[in-house]
Amino acid sequence: MKKGLILPILLCANQNSMAFDYSLQPIISSSERYTSNIYMSALPHQDNWITKVSPGVNFGIRNEDAQLTSNFTFNQLFYTNQSALDINEQLFSIDYNHRKDRWQWGLDGSFNNQSSLSSSYSNQGTVLGYTLKQVMVKQLNIAPSLTYALSELSSATLNYTYTQATYDKNTNSYLSNYDYQQVSGTYNYLYTVNNKLNLTLSGSQYNKPLSSSNSLGSLNYNMTTNNDQASLGWQHTFPQQWVSYLSVGMNYSQSDLTQIIPAHSIPAHFTYINKAWQYIPATNIAQSELTKSTTGTGQIYQASIQKSFERATISLVGSQNQTPTTQGLQTQTQISVNPSYTINERWNTGLSASYAIYKMPTQINGYSLDRDYTSISPNINWRWTPEINIGLSYTYREQVYKNNTYSAQDNGLLLQLTYQPQINNQVK
């Protein structure tokens, strides 16, 4: 991936000019995190102190028309109370954009080999909303984009996204390999100085292979969900640095759950029918498929308002969307608030708070997976020197299921130190 992406991009960046700037910046960060409920599970809770050491490097190159930035980070995690969880992660990302006349195109890419415990701390993406154990996941993301300025007031953008996730030694049925791809087109129009409209059409496919077994042997399952969305958005800028945004649309999905029953044989046997024993000869049954299709529609929306002050900003966002799962479309309704305040040149503080409602269309083994999720996280950061930053944050998480059979809370504390040497860019 590195050679296949970086070398062509470097050639494109230098085709019009031999002069370019490049930067190479090493980064070293270390953090100490405490969590009172590492698995976000019901009693008994498992607390832990987690030490993370993260050396990394940023690389960038640019000329008049193009810019490329990339990052590689190596995480080493140590779990004080459970040394068996000690693990290392590798994170790589690349971003390229090029502008020429009315055209702008770009490419975002990443490849992460990361623990499910790390990703689930801030992402409640599984069906159950928590991770039963630590599983490594290799995730590849590729997202090219193309924008054309139709006029000074309008533009059209085409985006494509591909994601592939593969879990290692996965024994958790709620963490399955999957791949996802989406194509979307957006038309933007600035019809007044303070008002902007956009129309977005998108189609996506989510594919998730599953497996299980019974007396017949191995049974293979595969779930494919196709989503089509259409939304209309409006952004308005008010006086005194107020900005609002509203987007409404519809979502249509079709999910196909296919069960592949392997070929098998039923041996000869006697059975009691109509008050008499009857002999049934041996039977060979060929492989067969059983597909169950479900369709659904839902409303999607997003509303936000943001206010900027001399030293502070505050934003309020409300949204509703649907996410495909093995049980159908999971509807997520969320509201969040994010204020921040700059105390002086070295100190700043902020707060991230959200409340989300997850609603599933079906139950699993008679239990509802509908749940409420709350997260509150205040933080404060100190720029000790131009090269050293220190951050301290507290996070409270709570998850409550509507059937009252399961609830969990977690208190977390994070202290992080980041060192980034100041290295001047070079010109060639």
Side-chain angles (χ1 to χ4, degrees):
M1 179 177 176
K2 297 179 182 179
K3 293 182 180 179
L5 289 176
I6 295 178
L7 293 180
I9 293 173
L10 294 179
L11 292 176
C12 293
N14 290 279
Q15 61 183 358
N16 297 323
S17 174
M18 293 302 294
F20 61 89
D21 299 336
Y22 75 87
S23 62
L24 186 66
Q25 292 185 320
I27 300 176
I28 300 176
S29 65
S30 177
S31 66
E32 186 72 21
R33 177 164 68 92
Y34 171 78
T35 173
S36 64
N37 189 359
I38 189 172
Y39 298 111
M40 198 62 183
S41 60
L43 295 173
H45 293 172
Q46 174 63 64
D47 66 336
N48 225 309
W49 286 94
I50 306 167
T51 302
K52 181 168 72 173
V53 180
S54 304
V57 61
N58 289 333
F59 174 74
I61 185 169
R62 66 179 181 179
N63 67 0
E64 295 179 355
D65 300 324
Q67 180 175 348
L68 178 145
T69 59
S70 64
N71 169 267
F72 175 76
T73 300
F74 179 88
N75 294 332
Q76 180 65 57
L77 291 90
F78 303 94
Y79 292 77
T80 303
N81 297 337
Q82 292 171 284
S83 59
L85 295 178
D86 293 354
I87 207 165
N88 60 73
E89 304 174 330
Q90 303 84 40
L91 313 176
F92 174 75
S93 64
I94 188 169
D95 174 61
Y96 172 72
N97 63 78
H98 189 106
R99 182 186 296 271
K100 188 67 174 181
D101 300 326
R102 294 189 176 188
W103 293 92
Q104 180 178 350
W105 57 92
L107 174 67
D108 292 337
S110 65
F111 180 78
N112 299 331
N113 184 29
Q114 193 173 18
S115 163
S116 59
L117 284 180
S118 298
S119 58
S120 67
Y121 185 75
S122 58
N123 177 23
Q124 300 300 301
T126 64
V127 176
L128 287 180
Y130 62 91
T131 301
L132 299 179
K133 58 187 65 178
Q134 178 166 263
V135 181
M136 291 297 292
V137 54
K138 296 180 175 67
Q139 183 165 316
L140 172 67
N141 298 281
I142 301 175
S145 63
L146 178 65
T147 299
Y148 179 71
L150 301 170
S151 67
E152 294 181 355
L153 302 178
S154 62
S155 64
T157 299
L158 181 65
N159 292 286
Y160 173 77
T161 300
Y162 175 79
T163 300
Q164 183 186 69
T166 305
Y167 290 88
D168 291 345
K169 299 179 181 178
N170 183 16
T171 57
N172 182 348
S173 60
Y174 298 103
L175 295 175
S176 300
N177 301 340
Y178 70 88
D179 60 76
Y180 173 84
Q181 53 185 332
Q182 180 187 58
V183 178
S184 64
T186 301
Y187 173 74
N188 295 285
Y189 179 63
L190 183 68
Y191 71 95
T192 69
V193 176
N194 296 324
N195 293 277
K196 181 187 295 185
L197 290 175
N198 65 72
L199 173 65
T200 301
L201 302 175
S202 67
S204 65
Q205 184 180 81
Y206 175 86
N207 186 62
K208 187 173 185 179
L210 308 170
S211 64
S212 64
S213 61
N214 65 6
S215 59
L216 297 179
S218 176
L219 294 182
N220 295 319
Y221 295 83
N222 184 80
M223 189 197 77
T224 300
T225 299
N226 294 292
N227 272 7
D228 296 312
Q229 293 186 353
S231 63
L232 180 65
W234 169 49
Q235 178 179 300
H236 179 73
T237 303
F238 295 91
Q240 299 181 347
Q241 297 182 309
W242 283 92
V243 178
S244 65
Y245 180 77
L246 176 64
S247 174
V248 295
M250 293 294 296
N251 177 82
Y252 172 80
S253 71
Q254 177 177 331
S255 295
D256 297 324
L257 183 62
T258 301
Q259 174 183 327
I260 303 175
I261 304 175
H264 59 281
S265 299
I266 299 178
H269 61 281
F270 286 92
T271 185
Y272 193 74
I273 302 177
N274 296 328
K275 299 181 179 181
W277 287 97
Q278 296 186 19
Y279 175 76
I280 306 297
T283 305
N284 294 323
I285 299 178
Q287 178 175 296
S288 61
E289 293 185 4
L290 179 63
T291 299
K292 178 183 178 181
S293 297
T294 57
T295 60
T297 59
Q299 296 180 347
I300 57 175
Y301 67 82
Q302 180 177 333
S304 66
I305 188 165
Q306 179 176 310
K307 168 67 174 175
S308 298
F309 302 90
E310 182 179 354
R311 290 190 175 185
T313 61
I314 184 171
S315 64
L316 178 65
V317 181
S319 64
Q320 177 174 290
N321 211 336
Q322 282 83 38
T323 303
T325 72
T326 53
Q327 280 70 43
L329 280 180
Q330 175 180 258
T331 300
Q332 175 184 339
T333 305
Q334 179 172 314
I335 185 170
S336 61
V337 60
N338 294 277
S340 64
Y341 179 73
T342 301
I343 302 173
N344 54 40
E345 294 181 354
R346 293 190 174 186
W347 289 89
N348 67 80
T349 184
L351 173 70
S352 177
S354 65
Y355 173 75
I357 300 174
Y358 294 84
K359 185 174 180 59
M360 293 291 296
T362 60
Q363 297 182 347
I364 296 181
N365 297 328
Y367 291 94
S368 172
L369 294 179
D370 296 351
R371 63 190 188 274
D372 296 347
Y373 179 78
T374 303
S375 175
I376 302 173
S377 181
N379 65 81
I380 188 168
N381 297 278
W382 177 36
R383 191 175 183 83
W384 185 11
T385 71
E387 298 179 333
I388 300 177
N389 287 292
I390 299 176
L392 177 65
S393 65
Y394 163 78
T395 300
Y396 172 77
R397 301 185 296 162
E398 181 182 48
Q399 188 158 241
V400 180
Y401 279 78
K402 296 299 181 66
N403 59 10
N404 295 322
T405 61
Y406 172 86
S407 63
Q409 298 81 34
D410 174 48
N411 291 277
L413 191 64
L414 175 66
L415 176 64
Q416 183 164 356
L417 185 148
T418 303
Y419 173 68
Q420 183 172 352
Q422 300 296 306
I423 301 177
N424 295 328
N425 293 353
Q426 303 295 319
V427 179
K428 294 293 184 182

